[in-house]
Amino acid sequence: MTVSYALLGLLEEADRHGYDLKQSYDRRFGAARPVRFGQIYRTLAQLTRDGRIEVTAVESGAGPDRKRYAITPEGVADLDAWLGEPAEPEPMLQSVLFTKVVLALLSGRPAATFLDAQRVKHLDAMRELTAERRRSPGTQAAMLADYRLFHIEADLRWIDHAEARLAALAEEVRDGTPADRG
Amino acid sequence: MAPLLTGVDLHKAFGRTRALRGAGLTVAAGEIVAVIGPSGSGKSTLLRCLAAIIAPDAGEVRLDGRRIDDLPDRTRTGLRRSEFGFVFPFGQLVPELPAAENVALPLLLAGAPRRRSLAAARDWLTRLGLPDAADRRPADLSGGEAQRVALARALIARPRVVFADEPTGALDSVAADQVMDLLVDAARAQRTGVVLVTHEPRVSAYADRTVLVRDGAA
Ligand SMILES: Nc1ncnc2c1ncn2[C@@H]1O[C@H](COP(=O)(O)OP(=O)(O)OP(=O)(O)O)[C@@H](O)[C@H]1O
Ligand SMILES: [Mg+2]
């Protein structure tokens, strides 16, 4: 989903071959998670079928990379619409952390121990990301690290908050009824 | 790393409130240790015991292996001036004095010549990105600028340990990052140990180690 819009954005900047798109994608968005060629070519095929991009040149030779792609006016309009639409905040109730806490309480396992271990793991991750950001040469890399840092921090705040309210939550989970929210 | 500052099994009660019940912490030269934990868990009390601002009821604090918790008040005050630097969330600068004089205070109190102290203060302000702030009073600085002035003051006398209690408490994340980058770089460069109390995970992530205080124990 996001990858297809990222490719549209890169093609709006300039016509490109598939290989070039992968390189540009990894450099700008990939960081720790480079995109696979397979996904690039699948996405390009889909975008071509949808009329959001088109093949402008086919060079002689073998391999899937002989095509050169360009964005179409429909593609530009689609990219515009996507950029203009705010994204849904993640539905946190589905999160692994929440499920683990409730499951631990339900089964009488020590939820506080789980939260403590999770806190250590999160803090370690933040320390590594902070060191990485302090070493990073450019604003773009630093801001990608920042994005992750703020999200891990949000989890940590929830962990602290949950730990402080564990007794009330335990009561509610055991009884199956909402406790008084004091 | 040989410990620079050590607190062992510290206890402190305020009336019926047992603020510390067996808390301990070790900092090496050039090491940054974050202290985190719920509100009221005893973080600031631990910091004040380690910094010889208050005396613990039991336990001991050592600097370079020497006991400092049981020294007489006047000796402790002198020790704080010569060996320690402090950064608090706000309101620590002398409002009547321009930034450069605020920064120079630790040197002036130690009896350094005025002209040389003020020149060193201006150097520090430039290093911390505030070359134009030297003649301004605290009221004419933004919160982030005032925090950098406070940081310069904490570091100027090359203390062995800097104690920072919520140093970014009143700042937004950009100003907080700036203050923390400067604190970490300076601590590494002059081998200063740092005890950093914070409730912000982003800030504690600058530390080499994190210590969790809970119910007065760490
Ligand atoms: N001078 C004092 N007189 C009486 N009680 C005190 C004093 N200083 C601290 N306390 C109490 O000791 C306990 C620990 O306080 P402390 O300031 O160390 O907590 P903290 O972890 O720094 O909290 P916060 O995150 O809110 O700053 C609290 O219950 C507090 O009310
Ligand atoms: Mg405190």
Side-chain angles (χ1 to χ4, degrees), chain A residues 116 127 130 133-134 153 163, chain B residues 181 185 202 206-207 214:
Chain A
D116 282 348
R127 191 172 318 113
T130 300
R133 192 197 50 186
R134 278 170 56 76
E153 184 176 44
E163 193 150 285
Chain B
D181 277 328
D185 289 344
R202 257 175 81 75
Y206 279 86
R214 189 178 279 154

Side-chain angles (χ1 to χ4, degrees), chain A residues 116 119 123 126-127 130-131 133-134 146 149-150 153 156-157 160 163, chain B residues 36 173 177 181 184-185 200-202 204-208 210 212 214:
Chain A
D116 282 348
R119 178 187 293 108
L123 286 172
M126 287 190 73
R127 191 172 318 113
T130 300
R133 192 197 50 186
R134 278 170 56 76
D146 275 330
L149 277 167
F150 279 114
E153 184 176 44
L156 268 168
R157 287 188 184 284
D160 287 344
E163 193 150 285
Chain B
I36 63 168
S173 58
D177 279 342
D181 277 328
V184 170
D185 289 344
E200 292 174 84
R202 257 175 81 75
S204 75
Y206 279 86
D208 301 303
T210 300
L212 175 67
R214 189 178 279 154

Side-chain angles (χ1 to χ4, degrees), chain B residues 39-40 42-45 165-166 197:
Chain B
S39 188
K43 302 181 296 293
S44 296
T45 306
D165 197 343
E166 303 284 3
V197 170

Side-chain angles (χ1 to χ4, degrees), chain A residues 4 7-8 11 21 43-55 69-72 74-75:
Chain A
S4 63
L7 295 187
L8 284 179
L11 286 173
L21 277 169
T43 309
L44 288 173
Q46 184 65 50
L47 287 171
T48 310
R49 269 199 301 281
D50 296 347
R52 291 188 278 173
I53 62 173
E54 61 193 6
V55 176
Y69 298 88
I71 195 167
T72 63
E74 290 79 7

